[in-house]
Amino acid sequence: MASVVEDARSEWTAVWLLSLEQRDRLSEASCGGDAMIEVEGLTRSFGRQRVLDAISFTVPARQIAGFLGQNGAGKTTTMRILTTFLPPDPISGAVRVAGLDVTSHAREVCRRVGYLPESVPIFPELRVAEYLRFRARLKGLGTRRVKERVGAVLDLCDLTRVARRSLGVLSKGFRQRVGLADALLAEPEVLILDEPTSGLDPQQVAEVRRIIGRLSEVSTVFLSSHVLGEVEQVCDQIVILGGGTIRARETREGWTQRLERSGRLELLLKDPSAGAEKRLRSLSGVTEVAKEGGRFVIASSCDVREQVFALAVERRWTVLELTPRPATLESLFLELVSDEGVA
């Protein structure tokens, strides 16, 4: 009998060591590139309805990326695939998190990802610290590590003052923070946050944004939202999804330049001549001119202020006002997610 037990113990030890060696190899492989999230040609359908249609994007390490789209655009489906809750279509592209394929290395991906769903699942009868200790044990943290990590996330998410309160009596803002603390317990390399400020009041939104801003110091953050201001303020990169396809993706600097290019120029003339609108339309780069009395609103694909000013001098127009009107993220977003706005 003793020999059977010893053989079983030796077999279990060998399997455990093999698992550790495999994890080490996977960890080394995952450090080979700078991208922590890689999506290439991802497609997902539910029955005959195609929700995601060959989307591709990457998120570099230690950056905050915003996933922007209208309700029903496919944001949550993408996040569930990244967190291994949903598989991609069998004949689809590649999805990797921390260098690991989400299908063939699903369990290892789960160890490296912290996930905050839109609706935080909680046990209302548990106290905050008690719930976090329970979640930490589920994640496989040892006794000493549980104490360290629970204290750290309580402090990071400003939950220390409510640590002994029951979850059921907390406001939605505090429950959202508890969900964020839960996602951070195992010190994940990647954080996936689905609508992290949904339903919060302005003060709660500001607090959650502050926490997210600090998280990029230690993790790669990928958050979804349909709140334009939120994404514009905290994200290093913005990806716009519409109708299951990527409509645009840019860095924050790229979006600033794109907004400048997509802006309008307002020209106010005193007693404009009859041919003024036609002459403005003839300028290189001008795509549209709208006339409202003596005011002309000029849309262009480049900066045309010098050309407009030179034309005004040449034609001896009396210029009362020449004002650039930069586009907003909201106006650009609405243009991109319309049927004609693929970019």
Side-chain angles (χ1 to χ4, degrees):
M1 181 67 179
S3 62
V4 173
V5 173
E6 188 63 33
D7 290 345
R9 183 179 299 163
S10 298
E11 183 179 353
W12 180 90
T13 303
V15 170
W16 181 71
L17 289 172
L18 178 61
S19 177
L20 285 180
E21 290 173 1
Q22 183 182 29
R23 286 190 63 184
D24 288 343
R25 288 197 300 270
L26 291 173
S27 180
E28 291 172 4
S30 70
C31 296
D34 294 329
M36 289 300 288
I37 297 176
E38 301 170 90
V39 176
E40 300 173 3
L42 172 62
T43 298
R44 188 59 165 91
S45 302
F46 295 96
R48 294 183 177 180
Q49 181 180 4
R50 179 164 289 188
V51 178
L52 299 173
D53 189 5
I55 68 171
S56 301
F57 62 90
T58 60
V59 181
R62 303 290 177 86
Q63 282 200 5
I64 303 176
F67 203 32
L68 195 59
Q70 296 171 313
N71 290 332
K75 303 187 302 296
T76 296
T77 297
T78 303
M79 293 192 149
R80 287 177 177 170
I81 291 171
L82 289 172
T83 53
T84 75
F85 280 88
L86 269 179
D89 282 353
I91 304 176
S92 181
V95 181
R96 290 180 292 271
V97 176
L100 304 171
D101 185 89
V102 298
T103 302
S104 57
H105 298 299
R107 182 167 294 184
E108 187 62 27
V109 168
C110 286
R111 292 190 181 100
R112 295 165 181 261
V113 171
Y115 179 42
L116 175 67
E118 184 176 358
S119 299
V120 180
I122 60 172
F123 296 98
E125 67 277 5
L126 294 183
R127 294 177 180 177
V128 172
E130 184 182 18
Y131 170 75
L132 291 174
R133 286 194 294 270
F134 166 67
R135 291 289 297 155
R137 288 194 294 269
L138 284 181
K139 294 172 189 281
L141 275 65
T143 303
R144 181 179 296 180
R145 194 70 179 136
V146 167
K147 184 177 181 180
E148 291 176 356
R149 289 305 300 157
V150 169
V153 297
L154 285 172
D155 181 58
L156 177 63
C157 298
D158 195 20
L159 290 167
T160 305
R161 54 196 164 117
V162 297
R164 297 181 60 81
R165 291 189 192 175
S166 297
L167 289 165
V169 303
L170 296 181
S171 68
K172 181 168 183 181
F174 273 111
R175 290 200 301 271
Q176 200 78 346
R177 283 196 239 174
V178 171
L180 189 54
D182 176 9
L184 291 166
L185 279 169
E187 297 183 279
E189 298 174 45
V190 178
L191 275 169
I192 309 288
L193 311 178
D194 193 358
E195 305 277 3
T197 61
S198 176
L200 304 186
D201 65 40
Q203 182 177 354
Q204 293 168 338
V205 168
E207 290 170 350
V208 171
R209 284 178 184 167
R210 176 183 58 80
I211 294 170
I212 291 172
R214 294 170 61 187
L215 293 179
S216 64
E217 299 172 6
V218 294
S219 298
T220 301
V221 182
F222 185 58
L223 66 90
S224 72
S225 182
H226 57 268
V227 181
L228 305 176
E230 175 176 282
V231 171
E232 194 172 18
Q233 288 183 35
V234 303
C235 295
D236 302 301
Q237 178 185 171
I238 301 174
V239 180
I240 291 183
L241 185 68
T245 62
I246 299 294
R247 301 301 178 96
R249 55 187 179 275
E250 293 276 6
T251 62
R252 184 185 297 175
E253 294 75 16
W255 278 114
T256 299
Q257 295 172 7
R258 189 164 184 159
L259 291 174
E260 290 174 353
R261 293 196 303 268
S262 301
R264 302 289 187 268
L265 186 66
E266 291 191 9
L267 172 68
L268 180 60
L269 300 178
K270 180 180 179 181
D271 301 325
S273 62
E277 182 177 352
K278 183 178 180 180
R279 292 183 182 279
L280 288 169
R281 288 181 183 275
S282 68
L283 295 177
S284 175
V286 171
T287 56
E288 183 183 352
V289 177
K291 185 175 184 297
E292 302 170 2
R295 186 180 298 274
F296 298 85
V297 181
I298 305 165
S300 62
S301 58
C302 58
D303 189 348
V304 295
R305 286 176 295 179
E306 288 188 18
Q307 291 188 71
V308 171
F309 186 78
L311 178 63
V313 172
E314 178 189 336
R315 306 306 302 176
R316 298 180 179 275
W317 294 339
T318 302
V319 177
L320 301 178
E321 183 181 327
L322 182 62
T323 309
R325 302 292 185 194
T328 64
L329 184 57
E330 180 178 7
S331 63
L332 185 56
F333 170 75
L334 292 174
E335 178 183 335
L336 289 169
V337 298
S338 68
D339 290 339
E340 296 79 20
V342 180

